Amino acid sequence: MRVHRPMRLRMIHISAALAAAVLLMIAFMAAGIALVSLIAAVLAAALVGWIAYRVARNALIRGRTEPAMSHGRQPDVR
């Protein structure tokens, strides 16, 4: 009958566990950076879209409400 002895941790096991922990931490940091980068990109795209919408809306509203200027003399700017 064979007696099972507990496996002794060797330096290679400890080093491998430490490397795995460091790599897992780096992977979580990279995932967090990717998530933050994605959120920033979505917010930037939304802001650009909002600015384009406001500019287009203002141009269309201004075109409808202001009377067309004649080709003659323009009024003085004060």
Side-chain angles (χ1 to χ4, degrees):
M1 187 168 174
R2 199 168 165 190
V3 176
H4 291 283
R5 289 186 301 179
M7 185 174 125
R8 239 182 113 197
L9 286 179
R10 295 188 182 147
M11 187 58 121
I12 190 75
H13 299 123
I14 295 170
S15 299
L18 182 60
V22 169
L23 289 175
L24 190 61
M25 184 182 69
I26 290 172
F28 275 114
M29 287 171 51
I33 290 170
L35 182 64
V36 169
S37 178
L38 177 67
I39 290 171
V42 168
L43 285 175
L47 284 174
V48 168
W50 181 73
I51 291 169
Y53 166 75
R54 295 290 300 203
V55 168
R57 190 177 134 234
N58 286 342
L60 291 174
I61 288 174
R62 189 172 298 141
R64 277 189 288 169
T65 57
E66 290 183 2
M69 295 187 106
S70 64
H71 292 288
R73 187 175 153 174
Q74 295 188 3
D76 294 333
V77 178
R78 294 182 190 182

